[in-house]
Amino acid sequence: MITLRHLEGVSKSAGGNNQFYALCGADWPTGSIKYVSVLGMMAHMQNRLAGCTTVYGSTSGNTGLAAVTVCKTLGLHFHAIVDTRIETEKLESLIEHGATVTKVEGDVHTRIRIAAEMAVLDPAGIDLDQYGNEGALFGHYQITGP
């Protein structure tokens, strides 16, 4: 269940009572608002998913956890490319949820490059491309915004 919380507050700069709302990421299936981003990215790639069996993605944790969860729902496998500095808890969570994990030396740019290369080499693979996938914003426009 997703909850929109209403918060009452007073803004000194506006000089009056204001209404505030907060969408709580903890209410999403993976405990993170990244779930919405992944829903949007997968919807954006929908026409490219035919024949796809594996989604590759660079992640440091939360997006990967959302991706493995969404991929499972769609009958796809998620292959996470992480760097060696990933937190143990996030790494274990990815594996527990069914992701294949490849650890690489380097930074986020290295992970992004390797994820793209792995997807190209796999005829049934696709790169989630979380930093270049326009669907991430679309998810928030369609779900978070309203």
Side-chain angles (χ1 to χ4, degrees), residues 21-74:
Y21 294 88
L23 184 64
C24 300
D27 292 337
W28 292 100
T30 59
S32 168
I33 196 69
K34 295 287 189 173
Y35 188 79
V36 174
S37 296
V38 172
L39 288 175
M41 287 186 268
M42 296 301 282
H44 185 68
M45 299 187 312
Q46 182 176 329
N47 62 347
R48 295 177 27 217
L49 292 177
C52 175
T53 59
T54 304
V55 175
Y56 294 85
S58 165
T59 185
S60 57
N62 288 339
T63 301
L65 185 56
V68 71
T69 303
V70 172
C71 283
K72 258 191 204 177
T73 303
L74 297 174

Tab-separated table of all heavy atoms in Angstrom, residues 21-74:
chain	number	residue	atom	x	y	z
A	21	TYR	N	2.596	17.740	1.587
A	21	TYR	CA	2.347	16.329	1.379
A	21	TYR	C	3.685	15.634	1.134
A	21	TYR	O	4.584	16.202	0.520
A	21	TYR	CB	1.422	16.093	0.179
A	21	TYR	CG	0.040	16.624	0.418
A	21	TYR	CD1	-0.292	17.934	0.116
A	21	TYR	CD2	-0.932	15.808	0.991
A	21	TYR	CE1	-1.566	18.422	0.356
A	21	TYR	CE2	-2.207	16.290	1.239
A	21	TYR	CZ	-2.518	17.596	0.916
A	21	TYR	OH	-3.776	18.070	1.166
A	22	ALA	N	3.799	14.429	1.621
A	22	ALA	CA	5.031	13.657	1.429
A	22	ALA	C	4.682	12.256	0.955
A	22	ALA	O	3.846	11.589	1.551
A	22	ALA	CB	5.802	13.582	2.737
A	23	LEU	N	5.286	11.846	-0.135
A	23	LEU	CA	5.149	10.481	-0.612
A	23	LEU	C	6.261	9.687	0.055
A	23	LEU	O	7.431	9.994	-0.119
A	23	LEU	CB	5.285	10.427	-2.133
A	23	LEU	CG	5.075	9.066	-2.778
A	23	LEU	CD1	3.643	8.597	-2.550
A	23	LEU	CD2	5.372	9.147	-4.252
A	24	CYS	N	5.898	8.716	0.838
A	24	CYS	CA	6.874	7.984	1.641
A	24	CYS	C	7.426	6.800	0.861
A	24	CYS	O	6.708	5.850	0.566
A	24	CYS	CB	6.239	7.533	2.946
A	24	CYS	SG	5.669	8.955	3.905
A	25	GLY	N	8.705	6.865	0.532
A	25	GLY	CA	9.355	5.812	-0.240
A	25	GLY	C	9.334	4.471	0.464
A	25	GLY	O	9.348	3.427	-0.177
A	26	ALA	N	9.291	4.491	1.775
A	26	ALA	CA	9.291	3.237	2.537
A	26	ALA	C	8.049	2.406	2.254
A	26	ALA	O	8.035	1.205	2.513
A	26	ALA	CB	9.393	3.532	4.030
A	27	ASP	N	7.013	3.026	1.719
A	27	ASP	CA	5.779	2.303	1.426
A	27	ASP	C	5.841	1.522	0.111
A	27	ASP	O	4.966	0.721	-0.165
A	27	ASP	CB	4.593	3.277	1.369
A	27	ASP	CG	4.265	3.868	2.730
A	27	ASP	OD1	4.621	3.245	3.751
A	27	ASP	OD2	3.663	4.952	2.776
A	28	TRP	N	6.851	1.774	-0.727
A	28	TRP	CA	6.977	1.048	-1.979
A	28	TRP	C	7.490	-0.365	-1.691
A	28	TRP	O	8.114	-0.615	-0.665
A	28	TRP	CB	7.928	1.782	-2.933
A	28	TRP	CG	7.335	3.081	-3.390
A	28	TRP	CD1	7.616	4.314	-2.909
A	28	TRP	CD2	6.313	3.266	-4.378
A	28	TRP	NE1	6.850	5.259	-3.539
A	28	TRP	CE2	6.041	4.644	-4.445
A	28	TRP	CE3	5.618	2.395	-5.203
A	28	TRP	CZ2	5.102	5.174	-5.319
A	28	TRP	CZ3	4.682	2.938	-6.081
A	28	TRP	CH2	4.429	4.306	-6.130
A	29	PRO	N	7.252	-1.314	-2.604
A	29	PRO	CA	7.634	-2.717	-2.369
A	29	PRO	C	9.102	-2.922	-1.986
A	29	PRO	O	9.425	-3.838	-1.247
A	29	PRO	CB	7.315	-3.414	-3.695
A	29	PRO	CG	6.217	-2.592	-4.273
A	29	PRO	CD	6.511	-1.168	-3.862
A	30	THR	N	9.995	-2.061	-2.478
A	30	THR	CA	11.410	-2.223	-2.145
A	30	THR	C	11.880	-1.238	-1.080
A	30	THR	O	13.057	-1.187	-0.772
A	30	THR	CB	12.280	-2.058	-3.407
A	30	THR	OG1	12.051	-0.752	-3.951
A	30	THR	CG2	11.966	-3.123	-4.429
A	31	GLY	N	10.972	-0.448	-0.547
A	31	GLY	CA	11.324	0.515	0.483
A	31	GLY	C	12.026	1.748	-0.052
A	31	GLY	O	12.623	2.506	0.702
A	32	SER	N	11.967	1.978	-1.352
A	32	SER	CA	12.656	3.109	-1.957
A	32	SER	C	11.830	3.667	-3.111
A	32	SER	O	11.183	2.928	-3.843
A	32	SER	CB	14.021	2.653	-2.483
A	32	SER	OG	14.594	3.640	-3.315
A	33	ILE	N	11.896	4.973	-3.286
A	33	ILE	CA	11.205	5.637	-4.389
A	33	ILE	C	11.825	5.242	-5.735
A	33	ILE	O	11.234	5.448	-6.790
A	33	ILE	CB	11.215	7.175	-4.193
A	33	ILE	CG1	10.182	7.879	-5.083
A	33	ILE	CG2	12.600	7.739	-4.411
A	33	ILE	CD1	8.759	7.623	-4.715
A	34	LYS	N	12.995	4.618	-5.710
A	34	LYS	CA	13.636	4.143	-6.941
A	34	LYS	C	12.742	3.140	-7.676
A	34	LYS	O	12.867	2.962	-8.880
A	34	LYS	CB	14.989	3.493	-6.643
A	34	LYS	CG	16.020	4.446	-6.088
A	34	LYS	CD	16.532	5.361	-7.154
A	34	LYS	CE	17.713	6.157	-6.631
A	34	LYS	NZ	18.350	6.930	-7.671
A	35	TYR	N	11.832	2.530	-6.953
A	35	TYR	CA	10.878	1.600	-7.555
A	35	TYR	C	10.073	2.300	-8.654
A	35	TYR	O	9.841	1.735	-9.721
A	35	TYR	CB	9.956	1.047	-6.466
A	35	TYR	CG	9.054	-0.067	-6.907
A	35	TYR	CD1	9.532	-1.369	-7.036
A	35	TYR	CD2	7.712	0.166	-7.191
A	35	TYR	CE1	8.706	-2.406	-7.428
A	35	TYR	CE2	6.879	-0.866	-7.587
A	35	TYR	CZ	7.374	-2.145	-7.704
A	35	TYR	OH	6.558	-3.167	-8.096
A	36	VAL	N	9.678	3.544	-8.400
A	36	VAL	CA	8.912	4.310	-9.382
A	36	VAL	C	9.767	4.581	-10.612
A	36	VAL	O	9.301	4.466	-11.746
A	36	VAL	CB	8.396	5.633	-8.766
A	36	VAL	CG1	7.729	6.503	-9.822
A	36	VAL	CG2	7.445	5.346	-7.623
A	37	SER	N	11.033	4.917	-10.385
A	37	SER	CA	11.940	5.154	-11.511
A	37	SER	C	12.061	3.918	-12.388
A	37	SER	O	12.007	3.999	-13.621
A	37	SER	CB	13.335	5.534	-11.002
A	37	SER	OG	13.304	6.743	-10.306
A	38	VAL	N	12.223	2.755	-11.764
A	38	VAL	CA	12.378	1.515	-12.527
A	38	VAL	C	11.088	1.177	-13.274
A	38	VAL	O	11.143	0.752	-14.433
A	38	VAL	CB	12.835	0.351	-11.623
A	38	VAL	CG1	12.811	-0.974	-12.371
A	38	VAL	CG2	14.232	0.627	-11.088
A	39	LEU	N	9.937	1.379	-12.660
A	39	LEU	CA	8.670	1.147	-13.377
A	39	LEU	C	8.624	2.000	-14.641
A	39	LEU	O	8.252	1.520	-15.711
A	39	LEU	CB	7.476	1.474	-12.475
A	39	LEU	CG	7.175	0.519	-11.339
A	39	LEU	CD1	6.031	1.075	-10.480
A	39	LEU	CD2	6.816	-0.866	-11.868
A	40	GLY	N	9.006	3.261	-14.508
A	40	GLY	CA	9.012	4.157	-15.659
A	40	GLY	C	10.015	3.737	-16.721
A	40	GLY	O	9.728	3.780	-17.917
A	41	MET	N	11.213	3.311	-16.278
A	41	MET	CA	12.238	2.882	-17.240
A	41	MET	C	11.795	1.645	-18.007
A	41	MET	O	11.976	1.557	-19.231
A	41	MET	CB	13.561	2.618	-16.519
A	41	MET	CG	14.254	3.892	-16.068
A	41	MET	SD	15.889	3.567	-15.367
A	41	MET	CE	15.479	3.402	-13.640
A	42	MET	N	11.209	0.690	-17.301
A	42	MET	CA	10.754	-0.532	-17.964
A	42	MET	C	9.602	-0.230	-18.923
A	42	MET	O	9.541	-0.785	-20.019
A	42	MET	CB	10.357	-1.583	-16.929
A	42	MET	CG	11.519	-2.059	-16.064
A	42	MET	SD	12.887	-2.780	-16.979
A	42	MET	CE	12.200	-4.392	-17.304
A	43	ALA	N	8.710	0.654	-18.529
A	43	ALA	CA	7.614	1.037	-19.423
A	43	ALA	C	8.171	1.726	-20.666
A	43	ALA	O	7.709	1.491	-21.785
A	43	ALA	CB	6.633	1.961	-18.695
A	44	HIS	N	9.189	2.554	-20.486
A	44	HIS	CA	9.808	3.272	-21.604
A	44	HIS	C	10.479	2.309	-22.583
A	44	HIS	O	10.535	2.569	-23.781
A	44	HIS	CB	10.818	4.282	-21.066
A	44	HIS	CG	11.430	5.158	-22.102
A	44	HIS	ND1	10.702	6.120	-22.779
A	44	HIS	CD2	12.679	5.219	-22.595
A	44	HIS	CE1	11.491	6.733	-23.636
A	44	HIS	NE2	12.699	6.201	-23.547
A	45	MET	N	10.994	1.191	-22.076
A	45	MET	CA	11.681	0.203	-22.920
A	45	MET	C	10.750	-0.922	-23.377
A	45	MET	O	11.197	-1.896	-23.980
A	45	MET	CB	12.850	-0.429	-22.146
A	45	MET	CG	13.907	0.550	-21.721
A	45	MET	SD	15.370	-0.224	-20.976
A	45	MET	CE	14.705	-1.360	-19.798
A	46	GLN	N	9.484	-0.797	-23.110
A	46	GLN	CA	8.505	-1.864	-23.354
A	46	GLN	C	8.618	-2.464	-24.748
A	46	GLN	O	8.618	-3.675	-24.911
A	46	GLN	CB	7.108	-1.312	-23.118
A	46	GLN	CG	6.001	-2.298	-23.290
A	46	GLN	CD	4.664	-1.663	-22.938
A	46	GLN	OE1	4.590	-0.795	-22.091
A	46	GLN	NE2	3.622	-2.098	-23.600
A	47	ASN	N	8.736	-1.643	-25.766
A	47	ASN	CA	8.787	-2.172	-27.137
A	47	ASN	C	10.117	-2.872	-27.436
A	47	ASN	O	10.224	-3.599	-28.412
A	47	ASN	CB	8.517	-1.071	-28.164
A	47	ASN	CG	9.546	0.029	-28.121
A	47	ASN	OD1	10.337	0.126	-27.186
A	47	ASN	ND2	9.525	0.898	-29.115
A	48	ARG	N	11.132	-2.681	-26.609
A	48	ARG	CA	12.428	-3.343	-26.810
A	48	ARG	C	12.569	-4.605	-25.965
A	48	ARG	O	13.580	-5.291	-26.039
A	48	ARG	CB	13.555	-2.367	-26.476
A	48	ARG	CG	13.573	-1.193	-27.444
A	48	ARG	CD	14.603	-0.123	-27.157
A	48	ARG	NE	15.784	-0.549	-26.469
A	48	ARG	CZ	16.414	0.191	-25.548
A	48	ARG	NH1	15.939	1.379	-25.230
A	48	ARG	NH2	17.502	-0.252	-24.969
A	49	LEU	N	11.568	-4.930	-25.166
A	49	LEU	CA	11.659	-6.075	-24.265
A	49	LEU	C	11.293	-7.404	-24.934
A	49	LEU	O	11.560	-8.459	-24.375
A	49	LEU	CB	10.781	-5.867	-23.029
A	49	LEU	CG	11.239	-4.763	-22.067
A	49	LEU	CD1	10.242	-4.607	-20.932
A	49	LEU	CD2	12.634	-5.038	-21.537
A	50	ALA	N	10.708	-7.356	-26.129
A	50	ALA	CA	10.361	-8.597	-26.824
A	50	ALA	C	11.635	-9.392	-27.084
A	50	ALA	O	12.597	-8.879	-27.639
A	50	ALA	CB	9.649	-8.284	-28.137
A	51	GLY	N	11.671	-10.625	-26.634
A	51	GLY	CA	12.842	-11.474	-26.805
A	51	GLY	C	13.916	-11.261	-25.750
A	51	GLY	O	14.929	-11.946	-25.747
A	52	CYS	N	13.697	-10.318	-24.877
A	52	CYS	CA	14.663	-10.029	-23.817
A	52	CYS	C	14.474	-11.016	-22.665
A	52	CYS	O	13.349	-11.322	-22.275
A	52	CYS	CB	14.472	-8.602	-23.313
A	52	CYS	SG	15.515	-8.166	-21.914
A	53	THR	N	15.566	-11.509	-22.130
A	53	THR	CA	15.502	-12.379	-20.948
A	53	THR	C	16.253	-11.786	-19.772
A	53	THR	O	15.966	-12.099	-18.626
A	53	THR	CB	16.082	-13.777	-21.235
A	53	THR	OG1	17.450	-13.636	-21.639
A	53	THR	CG2	15.282	-14.493	-22.307
A	54	THR	N	17.235	-10.901	-20.060
A	54	THR	CA	18.070	-10.339	-19.000
A	54	THR	C	18.191	-8.830	-19.143
A	54	THR	O	18.468	-8.319	-20.228
A	54	THR	CB	19.480	-10.956	-19.026
A	54	THR	OG1	19.356	-12.380	-18.928
A	54	THR	CG2	20.333	-10.457	-17.875
A	55	VAL	N	17.998	-8.147	-18.029
A	55	VAL	CA	18.198	-6.703	-17.961
A	55	VAL	C	19.487	-6.476	-17.176
A	55	VAL	O	19.659	-7.005	-16.080
A	55	VAL	CB	17.011	-5.997	-17.265
A	55	VAL	CG1	17.278	-4.509	-17.098
A	55	VAL	CG2	15.718	-6.241	-18.041
A	56	TYR	N	20.397	-5.709	-17.764
A	56	TYR	CA	21.668	-5.373	-17.123
A	56	TYR	C	21.573	-3.955	-16.583
A	56	TYR	O	20.960	-3.088	-17.207
A	56	TYR	CB	22.820	-5.446	-18.128
A	56	TYR	CG	23.067	-6.842	-18.635
A	56	TYR	CD1	22.345	-7.353	-19.712
A	56	TYR	CD2	24.007	-7.653	-18.027
A	56	TYR	CE1	22.560	-8.642	-20.173
A	56	TYR	CE2	24.226	-8.952	-18.484
A	56	TYR	CZ	23.499	-9.430	-19.554
A	56	TYR	OH	23.718	-10.703	-19.998
A	57	GLY	N	22.179	-3.721	-15.429
A	57	GLY	CA	22.146	-2.376	-14.901
A	57	GLY	C	23.244	-2.094	-13.908
A	57	GLY	O	23.558	-2.921	-13.058
A	58	SER	N	23.824	-0.910	-14.042
A	58	SER	CA	24.787	-0.403	-13.071
A	58	SER	C	24.001	0.068	-11.856
A	58	SER	O	23.001	0.766	-11.990
A	58	SER	CB	25.545	0.772	-13.691
A	58	SER	OG	26.224	1.497	-12.696
A	59	THR	N	24.445	-0.322	-10.663
A	59	THR	CA	23.723	0.080	-9.460
A	59	THR	C	24.632	0.109	-8.248
A	59	THR	O	25.635	-0.594	-8.201
A	59	THR	CB	22.525	-0.854	-9.181
A	59	THR	OG1	21.791	-0.351	-8.058
A	59	THR	CG2	22.968	-2.276	-8.918
A	60	SER	N	24.259	0.937	-7.290
A	60	SER	CA	24.937	0.909	-5.994
A	60	SER	C	23.986	0.345	-4.941
A	60	SER	O	24.309	0.306	-3.774
A	60	SER	CB	25.428	2.304	-5.604
A	60	SER	OG	24.354	3.214	-5.585
A	61	GLY	N	22.788	-0.069	-5.374
A	61	GLY	CA	21.887	-0.742	-4.444
A	61	GLY	C	20.408	-0.546	-4.658
A	61	GLY	O	19.726	-1.462	-5.106
A	62	ASN	N	19.867	0.626	-4.362
A	62	ASN	CA	18.418	0.812	-4.348
A	62	ASN	C	17.765	0.638	-5.724
A	62	ASN	O	16.722	-0.001	-5.837
A	62	ASN	CB	18.049	2.174	-3.770
A	62	ASN	CG	18.278	2.229	-2.281
A	62	ASN	OD1	18.333	1.208	-1.602
A	62	ASN	ND2	18.440	3.431	-1.752
A	63	THR	N	18.369	1.182	-6.763
A	63	THR	CA	17.799	1.008	-8.095
A	63	THR	C	17.881	-0.455	-8.506
A	63	THR	O	16.963	-0.998	-9.114
A	63	THR	CB	18.503	1.907	-9.132
A	63	THR	OG1	18.353	3.269	-8.717
A	63	THR	CG2	17.908	1.728	-10.517
A	64	GLY	N	18.972	-1.105	-8.161
A	64	GLY	CA	19.131	-2.522	-8.475
A	64	GLY	C	18.094	-3.383	-7.785
A	64	GLY	O	17.532	-4.303	-8.383
A	65	LEU	N	17.829	-3.079	-6.521
A	65	LEU	CA	16.820	-3.840	-5.788
A	65	LEU	C	15.442	-3.637	-6.413
A	65	LEU	O	14.674	-4.588	-6.574
A	65	LEU	CB	16.804	-3.441	-4.307
A	65	LEU	CG	15.878	-4.241	-3.420
A	65	LEU	CD1	16.157	-5.733	-3.497
A	65	LEU	CD2	15.987	-3.754	-1.980
A	66	ALA	N	15.146	-2.417	-6.807
A	66	ALA	CA	13.874	-2.153	-7.492
A	66	ALA	C	13.841	-2.880	-8.832
A	66	ALA	O	12.824	-3.479	-9.197
A	66	ALA	CB	13.685	-0.653	-7.688
A	67	ALA	N	14.964	-2.866	-9.551
A	67	ALA	CA	15.007	-3.512	-10.870
A	67	ALA	C	14.825	-5.016	-10.767
A	67	ALA	O	14.085	-5.602	-11.553
A	67	ALA	CB	16.326	-3.182	-11.569
A	68	VAL	N	15.478	-5.659	-9.808
A	68	VAL	CA	15.327	-7.116	-9.681
A	68	VAL	C	13.883	-7.459	-9.313
A	68	VAL	O	13.334	-8.450	-9.790
A	68	VAL	CB	16.348	-7.731	-8.700
A	68	VAL	CG1	16.077	-7.386	-7.260
A	68	VAL	CG2	16.417	-9.249	-8.859
A	69	THR	N	13.244	-6.631	-8.522
A	69	THR	CA	11.859	-6.864	-8.118
A	69	THR	C	10.911	-6.719	-9.315
A	69	THR	O	10.044	-7.567	-9.535
A	69	THR	CB	11.456	-5.899	-6.990
A	69	THR	OG1	12.366	-6.077	-5.895
A	69	THR	CG2	10.046	-6.140	-6.511
A	70	VAL	N	11.076	-5.648	-10.084
A	70	VAL	CA	10.229	-5.421	-11.254
A	70	VAL	C	10.499	-6.493	-12.314
A	70	VAL	O	9.566	-7.026	-12.921
A	70	VAL	CB	10.427	-3.996	-11.826
A	70	VAL	CG1	9.701	-3.833	-13.152
A	70	VAL	CG2	9.946	-2.953	-10.820
A	71	CYS	N	11.765	-6.823	-12.524
A	71	CYS	CA	12.113	-7.846	-13.519
A	71	CYS	C	11.462	-9.180	-13.185
A	71	CYS	O	10.938	-9.859	-14.078
A	71	CYS	CB	13.628	-8.001	-13.623
A	71	CYS	SG	14.422	-6.683	-14.564
A	72	LYS	N	11.484	-9.551	-11.928
A	72	LYS	CA	10.845	-10.818	-11.515
A	72	LYS	C	9.379	-10.825	-11.913
A	72	LYS	O	8.867	-11.817	-12.420
A	72	LYS	CB	10.951	-10.989	-9.997
A	72	LYS	CG	12.003	-11.930	-9.559
A	72	LYS	CD	11.799	-12.193	-8.075
A	72	LYS	CE	13.072	-12.628	-7.441
A	72	LYS	NZ	12.929	-12.832	-6.010
A	73	THR	N	8.715	-9.718	-11.665
A	73	THR	CA	7.296	-9.594	-11.991
A	73	THR	C	7.068	-9.773	-13.493
A	73	THR	O	6.051	-10.328	-13.905
A	73	THR	CB	6.763	-8.214	-11.553
A	73	THR	OG1	6.993	-8.065	-10.158
A	73	THR	CG2	5.292	-8.060	-11.835
A	74	LEU	N	8.022	-9.325	-14.290
A	74	LEU	CA	7.900	-9.402	-15.748
A	74	LEU	C	8.476	-10.694	-16.328
A	74	LEU	O	8.487	-10.878	-17.540
A	74	LEU	CB	8.607	-8.200	-16.393
A	74	LEU	CG	8.037	-6.826	-16.048
A	74	LEU	CD1	8.920	-5.724	-16.628
A	74	LEU	CD2	6.605	-6.696	-16.560
